[in-house]
Amino acid sequence: MKQLLLVFLGGGIGSMLRFVISRIFNNYFQYFFLGTFLVNIIGCLLIGIVLGLSFKGNYLTQNQILVLATGFCGGFTTFSAFAFEKHSLLSSGELLYFLLYTLSSIVFGIVAIALGLWSVKLL
C-alpha cells in the first residue's frame, strides 16, 4: 500500500506540473506543441538521471525511485497527448509538421535519456 501511495504522490505532482507547463507553452507555435514536447524531453532527462543514480549505486532507495521515476516522470510525461497531437496534425494535412514533431520528440527524448545517464557517470 505504501508503494501505491508513493506512486500516487509523485504522479499527482508530475501531472499538475505537466498541466501548468502545457498551458503556458502550447500556445507559442501553431503546429508544434511546445509544452508537450518540453515535458516529454525534460521527463526523459529526469528519468535518465534517476535511473542512472539507481544503476550507479545506492544513491536512491526503491521508494525514491518509485516516487521519482514511476510516479513523477510517469505523471509528468504524456504519450497520449503526444499521440493525439500527431493525429491532429495528420488530420489537418500538416505532414511536414507531423514528421518534424514526431522525429524531434523521439530523437531529443533518446538524447535526453542518454544525457541524464551520462551526467550521473560524472559524479
mmCIF file of all heavy atoms in Angstrom, residues 11-30:
data_model
loop_
_atom_site.group_PDB
_atom_site.id
_atom_site.type_symbol
_atom_site.label_atom_id
_atom_site.label_comp_id
_atom_site.label_asym_id
_atom_site.label_seq_id
_atom_site.Cartn_x
_atom_site.Cartn_y
_atom_site.Cartn_z
ATOM 1 N N GLY A 11 3.034 10.915 -9.060
ATOM 2 C CA GLY A 11 2.238 11.088 -10.282
ATOM 3 C C GLY A 11 1.363 12.324 -10.235
ATOM 4 O O GLY A 11 1.210 13.029 -11.235
ATOM 5 N N GLY A 12 0.798 12.600 -9.074
ATOM 6 C CA GLY A 12 -0.043 13.796 -8.937
ATOM 7 C C GLY A 12 0.748 15.078 -9.123
ATOM 8 O O GLY A 12 0.331 15.993 -9.832
ATOM 9 N N ILE A 13 1.916 15.126 -8.517
ATOM 10 C CA ILE A 13 2.764 16.313 -8.662
ATOM 11 C C ILE A 13 3.221 16.461 -10.108
ATOM 12 O O ILE A 13 3.189 17.557 -10.677
ATOM 13 C CB ILE A 13 3.962 16.232 -7.697
ATOM 14 C CG1 ILE A 13 3.473 16.318 -6.251
ATOM 15 C CG2 ILE A 13 4.982 17.336 -7.991
ATOM 16 C CD1 ILE A 13 4.532 15.976 -5.213
ATOM 17 N N GLY A 14 3.628 15.350 -10.720
ATOM 18 C CA GLY A 14 4.065 15.387 -12.117
ATOM 19 C C GLY A 14 2.949 15.829 -13.054
ATOM 20 O O GLY A 14 3.163 16.631 -13.965
ATOM 21 N N SER A 15 1.739 15.326 -12.827
ATOM 22 C CA SER A 15 0.598 15.688 -13.677
ATOM 23 C C SER A 15 0.247 17.165 -13.549
ATOM 24 O O SER A 15 -0.061 17.819 -14.547
ATOM 25 C CB SER A 15 -0.625 14.840 -13.305
ATOM 26 O OG SER A 15 -0.383 13.493 -13.593
ATOM 27 N N MET A 16 0.280 17.673 -12.323
ATOM 28 C CA MET A 16 -0.025 19.097 -12.135
ATOM 29 C C MET A 16 1.010 19.979 -12.826
ATOM 30 O O MET A 16 0.665 20.954 -13.487
ATOM 31 C CB MET A 16 -0.102 19.439 -10.645
ATOM 32 C CG MET A 16 -1.326 18.871 -9.969
ATOM 33 S SD MET A 16 -1.552 19.430 -8.254
ATOM 34 C CE MET A 16 -0.062 18.848 -7.486
ATOM 35 N N LEU A 17 2.285 19.612 -12.696
ATOM 36 C CA LEU A 17 3.337 20.396 -13.342
ATOM 37 C C LEU A 17 3.224 20.316 -14.862
ATOM 38 O O LEU A 17 3.408 21.322 -15.557
ATOM 39 C CB LEU A 17 4.713 19.912 -12.869
ATOM 40 C CG LEU A 17 5.910 20.737 -13.294
ATOM 41 C CD1 LEU A 17 5.771 22.197 -12.860
ATOM 42 C CD2 LEU A 17 7.183 20.145 -12.703
ATOM 43 N N ARG A 18 2.901 19.127 -15.383
ATOM 44 C CA ARG A 18 2.704 18.979 -16.832
ATOM 45 C C ARG A 18 1.570 19.887 -17.305
ATOM 46 O O ARG A 18 1.676 20.552 -18.333
ATOM 47 C CB ARG A 18 2.381 17.528 -17.195
ATOM 48 C CG ARG A 18 2.109 17.374 -18.693
ATOM 49 C CD ARG A 18 1.635 15.986 -19.057
ATOM 50 N NE ARG A 18 0.284 15.786 -18.594
ATOM 51 C CZ ARG A 18 -0.147 14.696 -17.961
ATOM 52 N NH1 ARG A 18 0.664 13.710 -17.696
ATOM 53 N NH2 ARG A 18 -1.389 14.603 -17.588
ATOM 54 N N PHE A 19 0.481 19.941 -16.564
ATOM 55 C CA PHE A 19 -0.660 20.780 -16.915
ATOM 56 C C PHE A 19 -0.239 22.249 -16.998
ATOM 57 O O PHE A 19 -0.567 22.941 -17.967
ATOM 58 C CB PHE A 19 -1.780 20.602 -15.885
ATOM 59 C CG PHE A 19 -2.924 21.538 -16.079
ATOM 60 C CD1 PHE A 19 -3.861 21.314 -17.076
ATOM 61 C CD2 PHE A 19 -3.068 22.652 -15.271
ATOM 62 C CE1 PHE A 19 -4.925 22.183 -17.260
ATOM 63 C CE2 PHE A 19 -4.129 23.525 -15.450
ATOM 64 C CZ PHE A 19 -5.056 23.290 -16.447
ATOM 65 N N VAL A 20 0.508 22.712 -16.007
ATOM 66 C CA VAL A 20 0.943 24.113 -15.980
ATOM 67 C C VAL A 20 1.861 24.417 -17.162
ATOM 68 O O VAL A 20 1.670 25.416 -17.870
ATOM 69 C CB VAL A 20 1.641 24.443 -14.640
ATOM 70 C CG1 VAL A 20 2.314 25.807 -14.687
ATOM 71 C CG2 VAL A 20 0.654 24.372 -13.487
ATOM 72 N N ILE A 21 2.838 23.572 -17.399
ATOM 73 C CA ILE A 21 3.787 23.800 -18.497
ATOM 74 C C ILE A 21 3.071 23.761 -19.846
ATOM 75 O O ILE A 21 3.312 24.599 -20.721
ATOM 76 C CB ILE A 21 4.941 22.788 -18.438
ATOM 77 C CG1 ILE A 21 5.810 23.091 -17.215
ATOM 78 C CG2 ILE A 21 5.773 22.816 -19.715
ATOM 79 C CD1 ILE A 21 6.877 22.052 -16.932
ATOM 80 N N SER A 22 2.169 22.818 -20.028
ATOM 81 C CA SER A 22 1.431 22.731 -21.291
ATOM 82 C C SER A 22 0.563 23.959 -21.512
ATOM 83 O O SER A 22 0.463 24.464 -22.629
ATOM 84 C CB SER A 22 0.572 21.465 -21.315
ATOM 85 O OG SER A 22 1.397 20.325 -21.371
ATOM 86 N N ARG A 23 -0.082 24.438 -20.468
ATOM 87 C CA ARG A 23 -0.922 25.636 -20.603
ATOM 88 C C ARG A 23 -0.097 26.857 -20.986
ATOM 89 O O ARG A 23 -0.552 27.702 -21.732
ATOM 90 C CB ARG A 23 -1.670 25.915 -19.284
ATOM 91 C CG ARG A 23 -2.677 24.870 -18.897
ATOM 92 C CD ARG A 23 -3.936 25.027 -19.624
ATOM 93 N NE ARG A 23 -4.654 26.151 -19.049
ATOM 94 C CZ ARG A 23 -5.876 26.463 -19.345
ATOM 95 N NH1 ARG A 23 -6.535 25.741 -20.209
ATOM 96 N NH2 ARG A 23 -6.468 27.484 -18.797
ATOM 97 N N ILE A 24 1.097 26.939 -20.474
ATOM 98 C CA ILE A 24 1.948 28.098 -20.763
ATOM 99 C C ILE A 24 2.539 28.009 -22.165
ATOM 100 O O ILE A 24 2.505 28.985 -22.919
ATOM 101 C CB ILE A 24 3.085 28.208 -19.713
ATOM 102 C CG1 ILE A 24 2.497 28.551 -18.346
ATOM 103 C CG2 ILE A 24 4.129 29.239 -20.145
ATOM 104 C CD1 ILE A 24 3.493 28.444 -17.201
ATOM 105 N N PHE A 25 3.072 26.857 -22.550
ATOM 106 C CA PHE A 25 3.893 26.765 -23.759
ATOM 107 C C PHE A 25 3.183 26.230 -25.005
ATOM 108 O O PHE A 25 3.708 26.391 -26.100
ATOM 109 C CB PHE A 25 5.138 25.913 -23.491
ATOM 110 C CG PHE A 25 6.122 26.579 -22.588
ATOM 111 C CD1 PHE A 25 6.190 26.225 -21.249
ATOM 112 C CD2 PHE A 25 6.963 27.566 -23.061
ATOM 113 C CE1 PHE A 25 7.093 26.836 -20.401
ATOM 114 C CE2 PHE A 25 7.870 28.187 -22.227
ATOM 115 C CZ PHE A 25 7.932 27.827 -20.887
ATOM 116 N N ASN A 26 2.039 25.597 -24.882
ATOM 117 C CA ASN A 26 1.399 25.034 -26.079
ATOM 118 C C ASN A 26 0.801 26.096 -26.995
ATOM 119 O O ASN A 26 0.404 25.787 -28.105
ATOM 120 C CB ASN A 26 0.338 23.997 -25.711
ATOM 121 C CG ASN A 26 0.918 22.606 -25.595
ATOM 122 O OD1 ASN A 26 2.081 22.370 -25.886
ATOM 123 N ND2 ASN A 26 0.105 21.673 -25.157
ATOM 124 N N ASN A 27 0.767 27.330 -26.589
ATOM 125 C CA ASN A 27 0.177 28.386 -27.409
ATOM 126 C C ASN A 27 1.206 29.166 -28.234
ATOM 127 O O ASN A 27 0.856 30.090 -28.939
ATOM 128 C CB ASN A 27 -0.598 29.360 -26.517
ATOM 129 C CG ASN A 27 -1.762 28.676 -25.855
ATOM 130 O OD1 ASN A 27 -2.421 27.819 -26.442
ATOM 131 N ND2 ASN A 27 -2.019 29.018 -24.604
ATOM 132 N N TYR A 28 2.495 28.798 -28.135
ATOM 133 C CA TYR A 28 3.523 29.571 -28.829
ATOM 134 C C TYR A 28 3.596 29.308 -30.328
ATOM 135 O O TYR A 28 3.865 30.209 -31.096
ATOM 136 C CB TYR A 28 4.897 29.328 -28.195
ATOM 137 C CG TYR A 28 5.098 30.132 -26.941
ATOM 138 C CD1 TYR A 28 5.002 29.538 -25.692
ATOM 139 C CD2 TYR A 28 5.360 31.485 -26.998
ATOM 140 C CE1 TYR A 28 5.171 30.272 -24.533
ATOM 141 C CE2 TYR A 28 5.536 32.238 -25.856
ATOM 142 C CZ TYR A 28 5.437 31.623 -24.626
ATOM 143 O OH TYR A 28 5.595 32.365 -23.496
ATOM 144 N N PHE A 29 3.398 28.085 -30.747
ATOM 145 C CA PHE A 29 3.507 27.736 -32.156
ATOM 146 C C PHE A 29 2.242 27.025 -32.587
ATOM 147 O O PHE A 29 1.709 26.193 -31.854
ATOM 148 C CB PHE A 29 4.716 26.822 -32.407
ATOM 149 C CG PHE A 29 6.016 27.421 -31.960
ATOM 150 C CD1 PHE A 29 6.607 27.005 -30.783
ATOM 151 C CD2 PHE A 29 6.648 28.393 -32.716
ATOM 152 C CE1 PHE A 29 7.813 27.554 -30.357
ATOM 153 C CE2 PHE A 29 7.844 28.942 -32.307
ATOM 154 C CZ PHE A 29 8.429 28.526 -31.116
ATOM 155 N N GLN A 30 1.786 27.302 -33.777
ATOM 156 C CA GLN A 30 0.529 26.726 -34.245
ATOM 157 C C GLN A 30 0.631 25.220 -34.466
ATOM 158 O O GLN A 30 -0.262 24.484 -34.123
ATOM 159 C CB GLN A 30 0.090 27.411 -35.535
ATOM 160 C CG GLN A 30 -1.243 26.895 -36.041
ATOM 161 C CD GLN A 30 -1.718 27.644 -37.261
ATOM 162 O OE1 GLN A 30 -1.050 28.537 -37.764
ATOM 163 N NE2 GLN A 30 -2.877 27.277 -37.743
#
